[in-house]
Amino acid sequence: MKKKGLLIVLSGPSGSGKGTICKRFLEKNEKVGLSISATTRAPRDGEVDGTHYFFIDKPKFEEMIEKQELLEYVHVFDNYYGTPKKYVEDKIESGDDVILEIEIEGAMNIKASYPDAVLIFVLPPTIEELKRRICSRGTETMEQIDKRLDRSIREISEIEQYSYFIVNDDLEYSVKELEAIVLAEKNRVSRYTKQIHELYQDYENGMKEYSK
Ligand code: 5GP
């Protein structure tokens, strides 16, 4: 049975640890592809172009929008972030799963254009812990931290837009939960109804003959 890959969307507040879950999940599931976003944000210490993001300038980003090379994009925290279309579409067509680590607005755009996408929201154990994680990164100013916390709380209030949630308390357990969600989604009948009927078409026709 030919199966398309899954489009997995992982969202959650900045500092929820979704990046760490994603990294560990990818280490354990080598065939799954990670969509690398394009952004106009400056790289943080240790971030590598082409690995963490494609760091590009505003005119280049706007050119990508113009040429419809992005699956979705948003303007948040004074910067553009977007998902390059080609990688995701090619990977899914070839039958491999792809994971997108994006914020809620982008996730809603994906949900509208790819209703089959699997939307998962990562929650921090508590807001205090979230704040501690963002502050300990030491990469944002106090004003930027406040903006990120505000946005986090707004994002959490819209969690019902997602199908699944993971509370990121224990990394290994969170990864296990993510794997379980992906595995279950791969066996959802509605995803493969047509293929299942095609596979058993002759028998199903035979049954009809038999019951005449
Ligand atoms: P950060 O600046 O912390 O790397 O990312 C800020 C937010 O933008 C995070 O919630 C991150 O998941 C989200 N983000 C990263 N890439 C994309 C993207 O391509 N599209 C959308 N919609 N959000 C993204």
Side-chain angles (χ1 to χ4, degrees):
M1 194 190 301
K2 177 146 173 39
K3 288 183 172 181
K4 269 191 176 183
L6 285 189
L7 180 49
I8 308 158
V9 177
L10 204 60
S11 299
S14 173
S16 61
K18 62 184 184 297
T20 317
I21 296 178
C22 199
K23 189 165 170 275
R24 184 78 188 107
F25 175 76
L26 292 167
E27 281 165 7
K28 293 178 72 188
N29 299 272
E30 285 173 2
K31 281 199 83 185
V32 180
L34 172 69
S35 160
I36 300 169
S37 298
T39 186
T40 56
R41 156 164 95 56
R44 293 187 186 124
D45 268 359
E47 283 185 333
V48 177
D49 184 41
T51 302
H52 297 91
Y53 280 107
F54 294 111
F55 294 102
I56 60 178
D57 59 16
K58 203 170 160 220
K60 171 73 186 144
F61 199 101
E62 286 169 348
E63 189 187 320
M64 289 181 83
I65 299 174
E66 184 78 13
K67 290 187 174 165
Q68 301 190 342
E69 290 173 0
L70 297 169
L71 213 52
E72 60 75 38
Y73 69 92
V74 284
H75 192 257
V76 281
F77 307 130
D78 304 324
N79 282 300
Y80 278 122
Y81 295 83
T83 306
K85 194 188 278 181
K86 190 170 179 347
Y87 174 79
V88 175
E89 290 189 341
D90 288 355
K91 195 87 177 147
I92 286 175
E93 273 311 313
S94 75
D96 289 336
D97 305 332
V98 180
I99 192 158
L100 265 57
E101 207 197 300
I102 62 176
E103 55 67 67
I104 191 162
E105 212 179 309
M108 292 308 106
N109 289 333
I110 293 286
K111 188 177 172 180
S113 45
Y114 292 83
D116 278 351
V118 184
L119 271 67
I120 308 164
F121 195 93
V122 178
L123 285 164
T126 61
I127 293 294
E128 287 68 36
E129 174 60 14
L130 184 75
K131 193 170 182 181
R132 196 195 59 74
R133 287 180 194 170
I134 300 179
C135 292
S136 70
R137 239 174 12 204
T139 49
E140 275 94 5
T141 62
M142 227 26 233
E143 194 195 335
Q144 285 169 328
I145 291 173
D146 281 344
K147 267 192 189 171
R148 281 180 182 256
L149 277 171
D150 270 1
R151 193 175 172 90
S152 299
I153 292 163
R154 258 187 294 129
E155 286 194 347
I156 294 172
S157 73
E158 296 199 40
I159 195 155
E160 59 267 34
Q161 302 294 337
Y162 288 74
S163 300
Y164 297 96
F165 73 95
I166 294 172
V167 178
N168 186 22
D169 207 352
D170 171 317
L171 176 63
E172 285 307 317
Y173 192 73
S174 297
V175 173
K176 218 183 236 183
E177 289 186 319
L178 177 55
E179 287 174 329
I181 294 166
V182 170
L183 213 54
E185 280 292 333
K186 279 179 185 291
N187 292 288
R188 189 184 276 282
V189 171
S190 60
R191 218 176 261 290
Y192 303 110
T193 318
K194 191 164 162 265
Q195 289 96 318
I196 295 170
H197 283 310
E198 275 169 11
L199 197 64
Y200 292 98
Q201 201 170 30
D202 292 346
Y203 300 98
E204 287 180 5
N205 289 342
M207 278 287 283
K208 279 176 205 143
E209 285 298 312
Y210 184 75
S211 59
K212 263 185 196 166

